[in-house]
Amino acid sequence: VRRQRQMCIRDSPICGEPLLCTGKSFVCTTHHSFDIAKQGYVNLLPVQNKKSLHPGDTREMLNARRNFLNSGIYLPICDEVAEKARELTKNLKSISMADIGCGEGYYTTAVRSAINAQDCIGIDISKDAVKMACSRSKDIVWAVATAGCLPIEDESIDIITAVFSLISKAEFSRILKHGGYIIEVTAGNNHLIELKEIIYDSVYSQHKQPAYIDGDFTEISRTESSFTFTLNNSQLKELLLMTPHLWRIKKENREKLDGIPQLTLTANYWLRVLKRK
């Protein structure tokens, strides 16, 4: 059993008692047990905490996202997050990292490698996502859980990444060390605007900014970035499949998209850094 599992995983999500790794499972003093799957992850999302039978992204969405991200199209986003993480942790001798909403692990593995984090945990609500993430790295602890109930020890994390996923203020504050950081990536006003103009009959002007957050956190920086990329029709379909827009597109607009041989799109996003007081 890797040392990271002993350090990262904390109380049982059922009773709140401490979990002890026995080698093949995590067990608490009241005998609740959570097996480590053969792929290497642990499922800490009990049935009673689920809002649906299969929460999170579907396997089809995840396969599309993996193919899209592996193509390198979003590498500028990944590189910017990794570089910011390096900058923030450069003076630390030992680094503990958590990626919340890790999906299939693309950003998790890249950032962990960039900062040489000794302890790293990736969390997602989708079991299929976490199973897929296991194939990216065996040196990361992968766990199925919700952002609202993170299976991570209090004040044990130096840096959290949340790439296109929501911040859970209370839980992030609990697990971060004082002086620890959050790197958050959120979509900007013009993110994939060209695709939206095909999907929707009307696209309304928005003023997207990272959500206001106060209390235990101080905003250190926020930057807006953009770049363009061109997709062929097959890649366009994969992009649509990995986004929530899939469920909203009308039949006639889907047919219009099917007839487009290629399309140049805009990636527009905010990168914000928050520091735990």
Side-chain angles (χ1 to χ4, degrees), residues 29-78:
T29 54
T30 55
H31 305 295
H32 294 119
S33 180
F34 304 89
D35 292 338
I36 298 170
K38 63 180 180 180
Q39 293 89 347
Y41 70 92
V42 59
N43 190 342
L44 295 171
L45 183 62
V47 173
Q48 58 268 36
N49 289 358
K50 292 183 180 181
K51 294 183 179 179
S52 65
L53 187 61
H54 299 289
D57 293 339
T58 66
R59 194 170 301 170
E60 292 75 18
M61 294 174 73
L62 290 162
N63 282 328
R65 181 173 291 113
R66 180 174 58 182
N67 292 339
F68 182 86
L69 292 173
N70 283 348
S71 72
I73 292 167
Y74 274 9
L75 185 59
I77 302 174
C78 188

Side-chain angles (χ1 to χ4, degrees), residues 59-108:
R59 194 170 301 170
E60 292 75 18
M61 294 174 73
L62 290 162
N63 282 328
R65 181 173 291 113
R66 180 174 58 182
N67 292 339
F68 182 86
L69 292 173
N70 283 348
S71 72
I73 292 167
Y74 274 9
L75 185 59
I77 302 174
C78 188
D79 284 347
E80 188 174 355
V81 174
E83 181 56 37
K84 181 60 70 174
R86 271 194 294 263
E87 175 189 326
L88 295 171
T89 60
K90 62 184 179 182
N91 294 323
L92 297 178
K93 293 182 179 179
S94 178
I95 302 168
S96 55
M97 169 190 162
D99 186 24
I100 311 303
C102 67
E104 45 70 67
Y106 173 76
Y107 296 103
T108 325

Side-chain angles (χ1 to χ4, degrees), residues 62-165:
L62 290 162
N63 282 328
R65 181 173 291 113
R66 180 174 58 182
N67 292 339
F68 182 86
L69 292 173
N70 283 348
S71 72
I73 292 167
Y74 274 9
L75 185 59
I77 302 174
C78 188
D79 284 347
E80 188 174 355
V81 174
E83 181 56 37
K84 181 60 70 174
R86 271 194 294 263
E87 175 189 326
L88 295 171
T89 60
K90 62 184 179 182
N91 294 323
L92 297 178
K93 293 182 179 179
S94 178
I95 302 168
S96 55
M97 169 190 162
D99 186 24
I100 311 303
C102 67
E104 45 70 67
Y106 173 76
Y107 296 103
T108 325
T109 51
V111 177
R112 185 253 176 189
S113 177
I115 65 176
N116 192 29
Q118 286 73 28
D119 299 299
C120 180
I121 184 167
I123 301 284
D124 202 276
I125 197 172
S126 167
K127 185 169 74 171
D128 286 331
V130 174
K131 286 173 68 174
M132 198 175 288
C134 289
S135 65
R136 287 198 182 270
S137 176
K138 301 300 182 185
D139 296 319
I140 294 172
V141 178
W142 303 104
V144 183
T146 67
C149 184
L150 294 171
I152 301 173
E153 294 175 357
D154 295 355
E155 298 182 15
S156 63
I157 300 297
D158 294 300
I159 189 163
I160 296 173
T161 50
V163 182
F164 297 116
S165 62

Side-chain angles (χ1 to χ4, degrees), residues 98-275:
D99 186 24
I100 311 303
C102 67
E104 45 70 67
Y106 173 76
Y107 296 103
T108 325
T109 51
V111 177
R112 185 253 176 189
S113 177
I115 65 176
N116 192 29
Q118 286 73 28
D119 299 299
C120 180
I121 184 167
I123 301 284
D124 202 276
I125 197 172
S126 167
K127 185 169 74 171
D128 286 331
V130 174
K131 286 173 68 174
M132 198 175 288
C134 289
S135 65
R136 287 198 182 270
S137 176
K138 301 300 182 185
D139 296 319
I140 294 172
V141 178
W142 303 104
V144 183
T146 67
C149 184
L150 294 171
I152 301 173
E153 294 175 357
D154 295 355
E155 298 182 15
S156 63
I157 300 297
D158 294 300
I159 189 163
I160 296 173
T161 50
V163 182
F164 297 116
S165 62
L166 297 176
I167 286 179
S168 176
K169 178 181 167 182
E171 279 293 85
F172 282 26
S173 175
R174 179 185 63 76
I175 69 171
L176 264 181
K177 297 176 184 178
H178 291 281
Y181 297 96
I182 301 170
I183 301 177
E184 176 195 30
V185 176
T186 54
N189 291 333
N190 294 316
H191 189 57
L192 306 181
I193 186 67
E194 300 85 357
L195 180 63
K196 293 174 185 175
E197 288 172 346
I198 296 171
I199 291 173
Y200 303 108
D201 297 332
S202 299
V203 178
Y204 300 100
S205 178
Q206 296 178 298
H207 301 283
K208 289 186 176 180
Q209 293 271 348
Y212 175 72
I213 189 166
D214 59 2
D216 294 335
F217 298 100
T218 300
E219 184 174 301
I220 301 300
S221 66
R222 71 165 69 187
T223 56
E224 186 179 16
S225 301
S226 296
F227 61 90
T228 59
F229 56 96
T230 301
L231 302 182
N232 60 34
N233 187 263
S234 176
Q235 291 171 315
L236 272 174
K237 290 175 181 176
E238 280 195 332
L239 177 60
L240 177 63
L241 184 57
M242 66 182 250
T243 71
H245 303 301
L246 174 68
W247 314 114
R248 301 167 189 153
I249 189 169
K250 295 180 180 178
K251 181 181 177 182
E252 56 268 30
N253 292 341
R254 179 61 187 261
E255 291 173 351
K256 187 193 304 183
L257 185 67
D258 289 343
I260 295 175
Q262 68 176 34
L263 185 67
T264 297
L265 297 164
T266 301
N268 173 226
Y269 60 96
W270 290 95
L271 188 148
R272 177 171 65 165
V273 176
L274 300 167
K275 185 176 182 178

